[in-house]
């Protein structure tokens, strides 16, 4: 999912400017680069890969409340390394960033955390699985002998919201690209990328008006790499969609000055992955909304002829703006058309 | 009509340029001293605010350790993981090879929004800041002062940084301060996440502290600035006396003109309005001149003030002065206000002046007994306030209430007391001339009383402050002798050299005494902890104020600690109390020593105890006991044979000279203000006498007509001025001594944390008395000379005029 790769690569300089420092995460040499033909290894690859520059644990959930309303939740832990190593204490060059979002039809809540590695404030362990920053946790609670990510508890708190969710996977891990080696552009940038898109969710959202019990589904993305993007690439539009048929779709387009580069993976109800190349997926913006002072396409037409897919996706809340150090749009969408369902949309680079 | 009236009224000033000059000069002088002092204070305050604004701790709550010690960063992590949005800060003093700087370690990622110090927020290389060897931000002068210092990260000059401080990443700071894994305090973000675990459950050793509007240094120096303000105000009050007499005179002399203008049809309201406008314009002009002068005074005094603040409190002030509206607007305002107050009485009288009242200028009417009694009662009331403040007052504020009430009370009581003395002298005197002299002197009292009150204030302040400074100097030099009992002091450049130096010096000296210290929080504030060797140098010389008989043995056994007077007083400690040292070790308090010129707390323990508690302590400095005659040889040998740079050694005499120099600079400002105040008081006297001289002709003419020569009369005038000044001096003396007592025993204790014994210096009083007489004599000389040379015709005219 190269969109997030771009996100993080761009986030750090932006975050750095917001903080008053330029050049964070840039210029450090000696990072490992993804190579094809290297098999993913679990549970070790659930943990951190400090020799790669960037990495994330990215979870989005489409939820339905006991009140019948729809909600969306995002929980993300980013890792960005100043140097390809770990050290004890403050000298550790690993830096962590957490983003949490909670979307209701009317409101969108955001929280952000930054932490240094090496002191225990943030980090990830593979066995038993645990990813945390401050009080936010994605904690593995898998049964003996099951994959570490097969069951999770998830919690995050902002100044005006919190959530506490239990997740149980009802399908296998899905590797994108060539067995997890996901090519990112024509010039060869790549990342390691796999997902667990089959979570069933139950839990509680804490909103200013009170707690709400929710159920729904969630999608976890794991990706790490070291390579930056091309200079011409202006932004991206990315979706992760759950269809009522049980099938799923991860797709994105990278917008550059000379057109868009699209890619993605069709996931069967049994978890079988069918990655597709550039040009197979067509994404067409339909309706725009004024969000945070800019025009964003919050309604899209998606066409994937090979799968008979021709759907419209529409934001649950057009104002799902992540007002973080590097701001972007991320929120739940409804799907209508040839397939029905729900999912998540992410958009960056609209000025 | 109005124009005519205006030009008629203004013509007065054309004919009396001297009067105009004295009015403008008085007001300008008063404004100058006031605004000069305010300019210095404003500059200092701005600098403190900047210090307080570092990390926005003037706006943010903080979590601080209840025991004042640094705590583990695990506590920080535990709080973060419990949901607290906080950011760790580590601070402390770094020193090496005689250079010392405050280190402020921050964690840029968790800093609350807007708390990032300006240089960090402005830009830079974050990766370089976070990674070894780190990057330090400091004020340009601090960067220059630390140029070439070993062990610090590369420094970047940042103009907005507070001088004397280096900002680094917390990880770098932990290394520099040898505080691995330790944190001083935590900044609390204004908006906190929901569902935090209560503080007590996660970090019971921490407590929440409200935002600090002022930095510690602002608290420390508050009394110093109050001191300056008090002096400025005193000068302003004295200046107002001048203005009052000049305006009064101008009004009195223009009475016939007022009457004529009114008779010609000028409405009373218009007349008052024109005169009020005249006063305001004069005040504006004088105020502007005064602000200019004030800027000059402030600019001249600022280096001394900065040196004082640095020496006494470690507060860094910029060396240059900026024109801040808060003081120049204030100065202008107070000039207008002062002139308004001074003119109010005259305008009030004018408003009530009957149109056909005799236009005869009267010397200020002899104050009625009732007015004197009222003033006396007020003086008595203020005296009671002063006594109450002395008995029950707390801190610096209490001290200044005492001082203010005392001075005002004395000033208000002065005319009454002088009237009693003169009345008694009149009754005791024989002969018409003598009786006339006393009675006439008493008659003049109301007119002169303001000037005399000003003189009293100036003299009392001089006696008081002079006594304080001299007492301080005497005590300080004695204390220096005790404290600096070793003959020679050396500092090695690094630990390896220190070891060689020790071995090299051992056979060449009578004793080698380590001067090793660490810095850390004691009772919540940064203090120095020294270790001393078990050597007679200390037990025989150290300036102990109170202590157990075996305190040095107790230190040598590692059981006890002694503290300086400041820490002792501030914390209300008693012998036997347990004292928590940085790191958590406890020692019993076995003694207290005096430690002048040091704003901070200090603790002394045995040197073995120090190295056991803090094995990482820097062991570079030694005091050397040696025959004083061998010092030059030792110095040469150290340079030539051992190879220690001359900068790394200093002999006793140089240290003392340097210390006294700091001391003298500390009080240079006080002395300068003292002299200026005396000058203003003398000028007040001069203008008052000048005013009186013109108005007194009708009273002198009959005496002249009875046969007294003009020269004789002039001499009598001179004697009168000297007599009044002498009486005022005599009365000022006790007031000044009480003032000195209050400064030494109340204000100093609150401001600096030490109490000084009071010494009196009668020779100084004689000198001051002579100065007062000289001032009075000079002030009276010109009016007396004019009287002596006055054409007899003018005296005759007194009888010829139709009054």
């Amino acid at each position: 999912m190269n969109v997030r790769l771009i996100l993080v690569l761009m986030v750090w300089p932006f975050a750095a400017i917001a903080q008053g420092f330029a050049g964070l995460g840039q210029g450090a040499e000696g990072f490992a680069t993804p190579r094809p033909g290297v098999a993913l290894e679990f549970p070790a690859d659930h943990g951190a890969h400090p020799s790669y520059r960037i990495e994330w644990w990215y979870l989005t959930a489409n939820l339905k409340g006991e009140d019948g309303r729809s909600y969306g939740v995002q929980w993300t832990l980013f890792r960005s390394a100043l140097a390809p190593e770990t050290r004890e204490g403050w000298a550790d060059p690993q830096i962590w960033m957490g983003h949490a979002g909670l979307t209701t039809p009317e409101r969108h809540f955001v929280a952000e955390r930054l932490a240094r590695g090496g002191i225990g404030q943030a980090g990830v362990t593979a066995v038993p699985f645990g990813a945390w920053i401050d009080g936010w946790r994605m904690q593995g609670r898998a049964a003996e002998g099951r994959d570490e990510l097969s069951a999770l508890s998830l919690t995050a708190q902002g100044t005006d919201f919190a959530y506490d969710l239990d997740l149980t996977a009802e399908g296998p891990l899905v590797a994108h690209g060539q067995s997890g080696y996901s090519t990112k552009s024509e010039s060869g940038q790549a990342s390691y990328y796999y997902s667990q898109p089959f979570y069933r969710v139950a839990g509680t959202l804490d909103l200013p008006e009170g707690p709400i019990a929710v159920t729904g589904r969630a999608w976890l993305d794991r990706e790490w790499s070291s390579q930056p993007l091309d200079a011409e690439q202006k932004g991206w539009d990315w979706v992760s969609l759950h269809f009522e048929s049980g099938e799923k779709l991860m797709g994105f387009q990278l917008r550059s000055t000379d057109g868009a580069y699209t890619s993605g993976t069709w996931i069967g109800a049994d978890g079988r992955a069918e990655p597709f190349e550039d040009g197979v997926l067509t994404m067409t913006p339909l309706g725009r909304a004024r969000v945070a002072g800019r025009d964003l396409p919050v309604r899209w037409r998606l066409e994937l002829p090979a799968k008979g897919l021709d759907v419209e996706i529409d934001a649950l809340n057009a104002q799902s703006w992540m007002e973080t150090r590097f701001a972007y749009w991320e929120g739940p969408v409804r799907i209508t058309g040839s397939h029905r369902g729900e999912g998540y949309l992410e958009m960056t680079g609209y000025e | 009509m109005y124009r005519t009236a205006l030009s008629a009224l203004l013509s007065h000033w054309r004919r009396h340029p001297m009067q105009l000059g004295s009015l403008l000069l008085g007001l300008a002088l008063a404004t100058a001293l006031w605004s000069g002092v305010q300019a210095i204070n404003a500059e200092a305050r701005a600098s403190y605010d900047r210090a307080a604004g570092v990390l926005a701790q003037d706006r943010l709550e903080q979590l601080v350790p209840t025991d004042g010690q640094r705590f583990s960063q695990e506590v920080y992590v535990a709080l973060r993981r419990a949901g607290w949005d906080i950011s760790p800060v580590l601070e402390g003093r770094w020193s090496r090879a005689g250079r010392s700087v405050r280190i402020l370690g921050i964690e840029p990622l968790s800093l609350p929004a807007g708390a990032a110090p300006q240089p960090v927020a402005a830009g830079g290389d974050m990766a370089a800041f976070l990674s070894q060897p780190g990057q330090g931000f400091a004020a340009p002068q601090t960067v220059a002062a630390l140029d070439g210092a070993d062990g610090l990260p590369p420094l970047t000059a940042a103009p907005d940084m507070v001088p004397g401080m280096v900002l680094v990443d917390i990880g770098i700071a932990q290394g520099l301060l040898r505080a691995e894994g330790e944190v001083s305090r935590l900044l609390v973000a204004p908006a906190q996440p929901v569902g935090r675990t209560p503080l007590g459950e996660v970090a019971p050793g921490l407590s929440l502290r409200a935002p600090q509007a002022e930095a510690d240094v602002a608290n420390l120096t508050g009394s110093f600035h109050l001191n300056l303000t008090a002096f400025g105000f005193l000068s302003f009050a004295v200046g107002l006396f001048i203005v009052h007499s000049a305006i009064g005179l101008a009004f009195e002399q223009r009475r016939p003109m007022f009457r004529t203008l009114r008779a010609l049809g000028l409405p009373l309201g218009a007349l008052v309005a024109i005169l009020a406008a005249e006063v305001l314009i004069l005040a504006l002009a004088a105020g502007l001149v005064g602000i200019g002068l004030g800027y000059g005074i402030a600019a001249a005094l600022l280096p001394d003030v900065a040196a004082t603040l640095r020496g006494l409190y470690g507060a860094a002030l910029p060396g240059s002065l900026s024109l801040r509206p808060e003081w120049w607007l204030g100065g202008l305002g107070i000039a207008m206000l002062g002139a308004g107050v001074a003119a109010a009485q005259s305008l009030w009288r004018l408003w009530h002046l009957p149109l056909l009242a005799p236009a005869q200028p009267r010397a200020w009417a002899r104050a009625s007994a009732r007015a004197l009694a009222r003033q006396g009662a007020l003086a008595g009331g203020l005296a009671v306030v002063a006594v109450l403040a002395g008995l029950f007052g707390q801190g610096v504020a209490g001290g200044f209430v005492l001082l203010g009430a005392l001075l005002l009370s004395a000033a208000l009581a002065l005319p009454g007391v002088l009237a009693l003395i003169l009345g008694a002298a009149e009754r005791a005197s024989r002969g018409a001339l003598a009786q006339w002299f006393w009675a006439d002197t008493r008659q003049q009292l109301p007119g002169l009383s303001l000037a005399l009150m000003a003189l009293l204030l100036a003299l009392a302040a001089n006696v008081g402050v002079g006594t304080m400074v001299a007492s301080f100097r005497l005590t300080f030099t004695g204390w220096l002798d005790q404290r600096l009992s070793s003959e020679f002091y050396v500092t090695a450049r690094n630990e390896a050299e220190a070891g060689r130096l020790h071995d090299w010096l051992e056979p060449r000296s009578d004793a080698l005494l380590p001067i090793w210290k660490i810095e850390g929080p004691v009772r919540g504030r940064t203090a120095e902890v020294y270790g001393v060797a078990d050597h007679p140098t200390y037990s025989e010389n150290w300036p102990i104020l109170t202590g157990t008989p075996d305190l040095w043995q107790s230190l040598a056994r590692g059981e006890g600690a002694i503290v300086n007077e400041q820490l002792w007083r501030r914390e209300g400690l008693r012998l036997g109390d347990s004292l928590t040292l940085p790191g958590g070790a406890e020692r019993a308090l076995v003694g207290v020593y005096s430690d002048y010129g040091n704003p901070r707390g200090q603790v002394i323990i045995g040197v073995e105890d120090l190295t056991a508690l803090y094995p990482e302590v820097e062991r570079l400095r030694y005091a050397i006991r040696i025959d004083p005659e061998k010092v030059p040889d030792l110095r040469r040998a150290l340079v030539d044979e051992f190879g220690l740079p001359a900068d790394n050694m200093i002999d006793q005499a140089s240290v003392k000279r340097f210390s006294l120099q700091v001391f003298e600079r500390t009080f240079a400002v006080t002395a300068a203000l003292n002299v200026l105040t005396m000058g203003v008081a003398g000028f007040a006297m001069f203008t008052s006498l000048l005013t009186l001289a013109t108005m007194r002709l009708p009273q002198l003419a009959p005496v002249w007509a009875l046969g007294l020569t003009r020269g004789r009369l002039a001499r009598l005038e001179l004697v009168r001025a000297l007599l009044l000044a002498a009486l005022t001096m005599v009365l000022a003396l006790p007031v000044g001594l009480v003032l000195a007592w209050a400064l030494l025993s109340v204000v100093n204790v609150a401001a600096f944390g030490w109490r000084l014994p009071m010494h009196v210096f009668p020779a100084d009083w004689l000198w001051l008395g002579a100065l007062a007489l000289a001032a009075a004599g000079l002030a009276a000389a010109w009016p007396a000379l004019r009287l002596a040379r006055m054409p007899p015709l003018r005296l005759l005219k007194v009888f010829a005029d139709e009054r």
Side-chain angles (χ1 to χ4, degrees):
Chain A
M1 189 178 68
N2 55 358
V3 284
R4 278 152 187 187
L5 174 68
I6 305 160
L7 169 70
V8 173
L9 284 172
M10 291 185 66
V11 158
W12 284 117
F14 273 87
I17 288 160
Q19 282 266 325
F21 292 92
L24 176 66
Q26 290 183 339
E29 295 305 319
F31 286 104
T33 48
R35 282 175 292 119
V38 178
L40 298 177
E41 276 179 44
F42 302 117
D45 279 335
H46 295 327
H49 301 80
S51 56
Y52 291 81
R53 193 201 295 270
I54 44 166
E55 182 162 20
W56 53 81
W57 293 255
Y58 207 123
L59 190 130
T60 50
N62 292 91
L63 303 169
K64 189 75 97 182
E66 56 191 345
D67 54 0
R69 286 148 54 89
S70 293
Y71 298 94
V73 157
Q74 178 201 345
W75 190 106
T76 314
L77 182 63
F78 299 98
R79 180 186 62 78
S80 176
L82 300 173
E85 58 178 349
T86 55
R87 285 169 176 240
E88 278 295 299
W90 297 102
D92 187 39
Q94 305 290 329
I95 289 173
W96 299 84
M97 176 170 72
H99 282 183
L102 196 169
T103 314
T104 77
E106 298 85 22
R107 297 188 64 186
H108 182 74
F109 300 90
V110 181
E112 182 181 34
R113 296 300 172 87
L114 284 168
R116 309 264 288 270
I119 56 163
Q121 191 183 339
V124 175
T125 55
V127 184
F129 178 77
W132 76 94
I133 182 166
D134 295 346
W136 303 2
R137 279 190 317 280
M138 180 189 282
Q139 190 64 49
R141 40 176 199 87
E144 192 72 32
R146 300 281 316 275
D147 178 62
E148 284 290 334
L149 293 183
S150 64
L152 300 173
S153 60
L154 184 80
T155 178
Q157 312 83 30
T159 54
D160 46 2
F161 76 99
Y163 54 76
D164 199 343
L165 306 173
D166 283 333
L167 294 79
T168 314
E170 294 183 336
L173 297 171
V174 174
H176 299 283
Q178 309 163 36
S179 311
Y181 177 82
S182 164
T183 316
K184 290 306 170 188
S185 73
E186 285 155 6
S187 47
Q189 277 104 340
S191 68
Y192 290 115
Y193 183 8
Y194 69 91
S195 300
Q196 171 47 275
F198 291 104
Y199 286 115
R200 281 282 164 190
V201 184
T204 315
L205 308 182
D206 277 309
L207 295 170
E209 48 271 25
I212 293 168
V214 290
T215 55
R217 45 179 123 231
W219 179 311
L220 171 69
D221 271 334
R222 285 280 295 112
E223 189 161 12
W224 61 100
S225 181
S226 299
Q227 291 163 301
L229 277 181
D230 286 347
E232 301 86 58
Q233 288 167 330
K234 299 296 174 214
W236 61 86
D237 311 296
W238 169 91
V239 291
S240 64
L241 305 176
H242 305 273
F243 301 115
E244 282 173 355
S245 60
E247 294 163 307
K248 297 173 194 295
L249 170 71
M250 184 282 290
F252 62 84
Q253 68 170 359
L254 272 155
R255 304 187 308 275
S256 54
T257 39
D258 54 354
Y261 175 93
T262 62
S263 184
T265 305
W266 182 265
I267 303 169
D270 58 353
R272 206 159 48 83
E274 295 176 49
F276 48 84
E277 301 292 309
D278 182 22
V280 179
L281 176 72
T282 314
M283 296 178 74
T284 318
L286 294 179
R288 290 181 174 262
R290 193 82 187 151
V291 181
R294 51 202 103 191
D295 284 318
L296 286 176
V298 293
R299 219 151 57 77
W300 289 81
R301 182 177 179 192
L302 264 60
E303 293 160 281
L304 191 65
K307 293 292 169 187
L309 182 82
D310 184 356
V311 294
E312 256 185 57
I313 62 171
D314 192 5
L316 170 71
N317 178 346
Q319 306 295 324
S320 300
W321 186 249
M322 294 297 286
E323 189 65 63
T324 45
R325 281 176 175 81
F326 172 71
Y328 57 101
W329 196 101
E330 173 110 25
V333 292
R334 282 177 294 243
I335 309 166
T336 51
S338 65
H339 293 61
R340 299 181 66 80
E342 59 194 356
Y344 248 79
L345 167 67
E346 176 179 283
M347 299 182 285
T348 73
Y350 291 92
E351 293 306 327
Chain B
M1 171 93 198
Y2 291 113
R3 187 173 304 165
T4 320
L6 191 64
S7 80
L9 285 169
L10 289 182
S11 70
H12 171 80
W13 299 114
R14 268 203 306 283
R15 285 188 290 124
H16 298 89
M18 186 81 177
Q19 219 175 71
L20 180 66
S22 77
L23 173 65
L24 289 177
L25 193 62
L27 201 51
L29 273 181
T31 312
L33 284 181
W34 171 260
S35 56
V37 164
Q38 289 308 314
I40 291 175
N41 283 350
E43 198 63 49
R45 217 170 285 127
S47 149
Y48 304 151
D49 283 351
R50 222 167 36 191
V54 169
L55 302 184
Q57 51 215 18
D58 51 344
R59 290 185 285 112
L60 296 178
E61 287 185 320
Q62 303 190 47
L63 291 174
V64 294
T66 31
D67 65 354
Q69 305 299 317
R70 286 177 187 149
F71 54 96
S72 166
Q73 72 192 24
E74 298 300 326
V75 176
Y76 159 71
V77 172
L79 276 167
R80 287 292 305 201
R81 299 212 57 190
W84 287 74
D85 191 356
I86 46 178
S87 185
V89 175
L90 173 69
E91 54 194 338
R93 189 154 282 277
W94 175 93
S95 38
R96 183 166 304 176
R99 291 203 258 202
S100 168
V101 71
R102 191 176 150 218
I103 299 287
L104 186 67
I106 58 158
E107 205 290 286
L109 295 187
S110 56
L111 269 186
Q118 180 56 29
V120 178
D125 185 347
M126 171 98 117
F129 187 79
L130 298 182
S131 327
Q132 291 289 344
Q135 184 187 17
F137 290 104
Q141 67 255 50
T142 309
V143 174
L146 293 171
D147 184 40
D150 257 0
L152 284 176
L155 297 180
T156 304
D160 284 318
M161 281 296 294
V162 178
M165 176 198 277
V166 172
L167 181 84
V168 292
D169 178 62
I170 187 164
I172 308 296
Q174 287 182 344
L176 289 174
L177 298 174
R178 298 192 175 98
E180 296 299 342
E182 289 186 339
V183 171
S184 299
R185 52 200 170 86
L186 303 170
L187 300 172
V188 181
Q192 289 288 322
V194 295
R196 281 174 301 163
T197 316
L199 181 64
E201 288 176 28
V202 193
L206 300 186
S207 58
L208 198 64
R209 187 170 71 183
Q212 290 182 305
E214 294 185 316
D216 282 354
V217 69
N219 287 329
L220 274 176
T221 54
S223 50
F224 179 84
H225 293 295
L226 199 57
N227 229 322
L228 282 183
T229 306
F231 250 106
F233 199 75
L234 191 64
S235 319
F236 186 76
V238 169
L240 275 194
F241 292 129
I242 307 176
V243 179
H244 185 93
S245 65
I247 290 183
L249 177 63
F251 272 68
E252 287 290 337
Q253 290 181 334
R254 284 188 288 181
R255 266 193 188 208
M257 189 192 293
F258 296 161
R259 196 187 56 167
T260 312
L261 284 171
R262 291 277 287 113
L264 287 173
L266 184 71
L268 180 61
L271 180 63
V272 169
I274 289 172
L275 285 169
E278 176 195 88
V279 168
L280 279 183
I281 290 164
L282 288 175
L284 195 66
L288 286 174
V289 174
I291 286 164
L293 285 175
Y295 185 87
I297 290 173
L301 290 181
L302 193 66
D304 276 333
V305 172
T308 299
L309 289 169
R310 195 170 45 246
L312 274 179
Y313 307 101
L317 237 59
S320 61
L321 193 68
S322 41
L323 206 62
R324 295 173 193 280
E326 64 217 65
W327 67 262
W328 70 257
L329 273 180
L332 210 55
I334 202 152
M336 311 281 258
L337 189 76
V341 167
Q345 194 191 6
S346 300
L347 285 172
W348 177 257
R349 277 209 212 130
L350 176 63
W351 187 262
H352 293 276
L353 179 75
L355 182 57
L356 293 175
Q360 170 187 6
R362 304 177 306 145
W364 280 291
R366 186 175 151 182
S368 68
R370 237 177 92 192
L372 265 187
R374 217 167 35 226
Q375 208 170 323
L378 193 56
L382 282 168
V384 171
V385 171
V387 169
L388 287 179
L391 288 178
F392 305 111
Q394 294 284 320
V396 181
F400 276 104
V401 170
L402 165 59
L403 293 187
L406 171 75
L407 284 176
L408 261 181
S409 162
L412 286 173
L414 179 73
V417 175
L418 283 178
L420 284 180
I421 294 173
L422 294 172
E426 184 184 345
R427 276 189 299 282
S429 59
R430 298 271 174 275
L433 184 63
Q435 279 188 346
W436 171 81
F437 176 78
W438 292 117
D440 189 51
T441 307
R442 200 142 66 100
Q443 160 77 17
Q444 281 196 64
L445 255 193
L448 272 176
S449 65
L450 278 175
L452 291 175
M453 281 153 78
L455 187 64
L456 177 90
L457 289 183
L459 286 172
N462 261 285
V463 170
V465 174
T467 304
M468 177 191 75
V469 174
S471 295
F472 198 174
R473 185 180 288 116
L474 199 69
T475 313
F476 188 71
T477 39
W479 170 82
L480 272 183
D481 289 340
Q482 294 179 310
R483 187 74 184 256
L484 300 171
S485 43
S486 296
E487 286 75 20
F488 202 59
Y489 299 84
V490 292
T491 306
R493 282 167 294 182
N494 52 53
E495 301 276 340
E497 187 178 66
R500 284 193 292 121
L501 188 63
H502 179 268
D503 297 343
W504 189 88
L505 282 169
E506 191 119 65
R508 291 173 172 83
S509 57
D510 299 340
L512 207 52
L513 307 170
I515 307 181
W516 301 339
K517 64 158 180 182
I518 61 128
E519 291 199 17
V522 173
R523 294 241 163 181
R525 291 207 216 173
T526 304
E528 300 163 320
V529 181
Y530 277 89
V532 295
D534 186 15
H535 190 268
T537 299
Y538 296 106
S539 46
E540 284 167 13
N541 295 311
W542 204 254
I544 294 292
L545 292 174
T546 173
T548 56
D550 63 338
L551 69 95
W552 296 106
Q553 291 89 316
S554 167
L555 257 54
R557 286 195 302 267
E559 290 163 3
I562 57 177
V563 300
N564 64 358
E565 188 184 357
Q566 293 81 309
L567 184 63
W568 177 58
R569 286 192 193 279
R570 194 181 71 211
E571 298 296 335
L573 295 171
R574 277 179 307 190
L575 293 187
D577 281 357
S578 174
L579 196 69
T580 308
L581 301 177
E586 308 233 338
R587 292 289 177 274
L589 180 66
V590 295
V592 179
Y593 56 95
S594 53
D595 184 18
Y596 305 119
N598 176 6
R600 288 198 284 170
Q602 202 177 71
V603 180
I604 291 181
I605 55 178
V607 71
E608 279 86 15
D609 202 9
L610 183 82
T611 50
L613 286 174
Y614 312 102
E616 77 284 10
V617 64
E618 212 173 51
R619 299 161 200 214
L620 303 181
R621 294 195 73 198
Y622 287 97
I624 301 166
R625 296 308 308 264
I626 191 173
D627 184 346
E629 289 178 4
K630 293 185 188 161
V631 166
D633 292 338
L634 181 68
R635 176 193 286 274
R636 251 191 309 280
L638 266 171
V639 175
D640 298 341
E641 291 173 34
F642 185 82
L644 195 69
D647 283 353
N648 284 34
M649 56 191 91
I650 189 163
D651 58 42
Q652 190 192 53
S654 308
V655 182
K656 279 186 189 166
R657 199 166 51 240
F658 174 74
S659 304
L660 282 173
Q661 221 173 320
V662 170
F663 175 89
E664 296 298 343
R665 291 199 84 168
T666 300
F667 291 103
V669 179
T670 317
L673 284 176
N674 236 340
V675 168
L676 287 171
T677 314
M678 270 301 275
V680 172
F683 194 72
M685 185 107 177
F686 172 70
T687 54
S688 297
L689 287 172
L690 205 61
T691 309
L692 282 179
T694 336
M695 288 188 289
R696 274 168 43 71
L697 275 190
Q699 285 153 18
L700 288 178
V703 187
W704 170 72
L706 287 174
L708 230 53
T709 62
R710 287 168 300 159
R712 185 98 191 271
L713 274 176
R715 275 197 296 282
L716 280 176
E717 290 293 302
L718 202 60
V719 167
R720 190 195 323 276
L722 292 176
L723 179 80
L724 286 173
L727 281 175
T728 305
M729 173 67 203
V730 169
L731 291 171
L733 204 54
V735 179
L737 290 179
V738 177
L739 182 69
W741 172 82
L743 284 171
L744 286 169
S745 311
V746 182
V747 177
N748 267 2
V749 175
F752 304 114
W754 57 69
R755 189 192 201 109
L756 295 162
M758 182 163 150
H759 301 275
V760 290
F761 302 87
D764 287 0
W765 306 342
L766 283 180
W767 192 84
L768 188 66
L771 195 70
L773 288 181
L778 275 177
W782 166 250
L785 196 68
R786 281 214 323 192
L787 181 62
R789 293 183 179 167
M790 186 173 285
L793 185 65
R794 279 194 63 193
L795 287 163
L796 274 176
K797 262 174 73 180
V798 170
F799 301 102
D801 283 357
E802 48 91 33
R803 307 171 171 165

